[in-house]
């Protein structure tokens, strides 16, 4: 049986539970492609799963990682749209994982890699960019001319959200650290609020949409800046303060990002057209996934953290 290397966890805990293992190499089903992974990205969900959230002990040992960019190594017998050697990227479904040499995915879930960026930048895109897209447009219904407040605008999801909202013709206010002010301005934010020294309630009001990537008291304080009938969309679970929402006649929504090849292809077009920039702060060899996760978890993230091929 063919084997491959993968970074797996055998127990939940700190970054050092991630280890290099030899595991069976997957075989593509008839409607699948086998992809040689050239890069993966690190998302907060990876370290949350590693530390025991969102996963059960019965699932161990498990490989982590939902984003990959790579090259098709083999096509299943019914696959017609792809050929060996094609460069693709994808957000993987929850049953597949990217901290590995190879992965199989449904041929219809693969998307041509943007041509203007390398695999390491392409791998940084799928989960974070789809989260931004689905949060702003599918959940938040953001329209041209509306005002959106994005909490955490300089991070993995936020840096895409700022650019998508601008490209859609919205007015964008973003919160972030002072160190990220220039970065946020370059991404196109109209107004930037340093969350460590300023209260966003003092700077904005009558916002159509709050896109919350932080949760907790940031989310709770956000109702006050919404216009009547406005919407608060959060990646950190359904907003809880029902009475504050009602008082504002506002609605609150939580959601989980879903793979979506059509949306990812649209995002790839924006990247190749030069309308959206992918910012990778750090690239680690995949063998050093523990260090990469510790970086994202403990240090201040700007844009994305990526793993190069095993
Ligand atoms: N529901 C879903 O499907 C889904 C999908 C993707 C992500 N998420 C969640 O969404 C969150 C964001 O994800 P991400 O990938 O963007 O994370 P990330 O790359 O770690 O970015 C978070 C950003 O927020 C900044 N920040 C921290 N505290 C802040 C505050 N109080 N106000 C404003 N900015 C602040 C951080 O920088 P500084 O510390 O330097 O300020 C960093 O730039 C995570 O909790 C993640 O698990 C959920």
């Amino acid at each position: 049986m063919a084997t491959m290397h993968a970074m797996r966890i055998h127990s939940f805990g700190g970054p050092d539970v991630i280890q290099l293992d030899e595991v069976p190499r997957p075989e593509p089903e008839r409607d699948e492609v086998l992809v040689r992974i050239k890069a993966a990205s690190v998302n907060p969900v990876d370290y949350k799963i590693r530390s025991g959230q969102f996963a059960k002990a019965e699932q161990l040992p498990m490989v982590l990682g939902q984003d990959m960019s790579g090259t098709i190594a083999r096509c299943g017998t019914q696959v017609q749209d792809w050929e060996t050697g094609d460069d693709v990227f994808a957000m993987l479904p929850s049953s597949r994982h990217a901290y590995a040499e190879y992965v199989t995915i449904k041929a219809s879930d693969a998307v041509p890699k943007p041509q203007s960026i390398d695999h390491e930048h392409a791998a940084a895109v799928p989960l974070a960019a789809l989260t931004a897209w689905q949060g702003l447009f599918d959940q938040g219904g953001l329209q041209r001319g509306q005002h959106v407040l994005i909490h955490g605008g300089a991070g993995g999801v936020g840096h895409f959200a700022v650019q998508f909202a601008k490209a859609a013709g919205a007015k964008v206010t973003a919160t972030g650290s002072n160190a990220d002010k220039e970065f946020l301005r370059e991404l196109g934010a109209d107004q930037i609020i340093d969350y460590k020294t300023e209260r966003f309630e003092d700077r904005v009001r009558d916002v159509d949409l709050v896109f919350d990537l932080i949760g907790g008291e940031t989310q709770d304080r956000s109702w006050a800046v919404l216009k009547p009938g406005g919407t608060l969309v959060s990646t950190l679970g359904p907003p809880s303060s029902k009475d504050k929402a009602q008082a504002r006649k506002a609605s609150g929504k939580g959601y989980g990002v879903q793979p979506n090849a059509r949306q990812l292809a649209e995002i790839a077009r924006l990247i190749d057209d030069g309308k959206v920039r992918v910012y990778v702060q750090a690239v680690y060899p995949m063998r050093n996934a523990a260090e990469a996760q510790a970086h994202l978890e403990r240090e201040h993230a700007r844009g994305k953290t990526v793993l190069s091929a095993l």
Side-chain angles (χ1 to χ4, degrees), residues 104-289:
T104 51
I105 54 170
K106 290 248 180 285
S108 54
D109 288 345
V111 174
K113 178 182 85 59
Q115 289 178 357
S116 57
I117 55 176
D118 59 18
H119 283 291
E120 286 162 358
H121 284 78
V125 174
L127 187 145
L130 286 169
T131 303
W133 192 273
Q134 292 168 15
L136 292 173
F137 304 122
D138 297 347
Q139 304 293 327
L142 185 66
Q143 304 280 332
R144 176 170 295 279
Q146 288 190 329
H147 185 183
V148 58
L149 169 63
I150 300 170
H151 287 306
V157 178
H159 92 290
F160 287 117
V162 169
Q163 297 180 83
F164 293 162
K166 275 309 285 181
K171 178 182 171 189
V172 178
T173 299
T175 62
S177 313
N178 188 43
D180 288 326
K181 269 194 166 170
E182 200 42 48
F183 176 60
L184 285 164
R185 204 175 308 285
E186 283 166 20
L187 296 175
D190 300 291
Q191 185 184 21
I192 298 151
I193 302 173
D194 172 1
Y195 72 92
K196 288 181 181 156
T197 59
E198 300 171 280
R199 285 175 62 80
F200 59 84
E201 304 93 306
D202 299 335
R203 298 277 312 277
V204 282
R205 59 170 65 173
D206 287 337
V207 164
D208 297 280
L209 173 65
V210 173
F211 187 36
D212 165 40
L213 305 170
I214 304 300
E217 57 118 28
T218 299
Q219 181 188 99
D220 203 45
R221 286 163 42 210
S222 291
W223 299 108
V225 305
L226 279 173
K227 65 161 56 158
T231 308
L232 192 163
V233 172
S234 181
T235 58
L236 281 302
S240 52
S241 334
K242 288 222 169 58
D243 21 335
K244 285 187 187 165
Q246 269 164 12
R248 216 83 202 162
K249 297 191 174 58
S251 56
K253 296 177 183 175
Y255 71 106
V257 60
Q258 300 299 324
N260 186 314
R262 185 185 51 77
Q263 291 175 343
L264 190 56
E266 214 168 325
I267 291 164
R269 255 193 306 280
L270 288 173
I271 293 168
D272 279 340
D273 288 349
K275 296 199 173 112
V276 167
R277 164 183 164 213
V278 183
Y279 184 85
V280 172
Q281 184 179 38
V283 181
Y284 291 82
M286 200 178 285
R287 276 166 200 267
N288 299 355

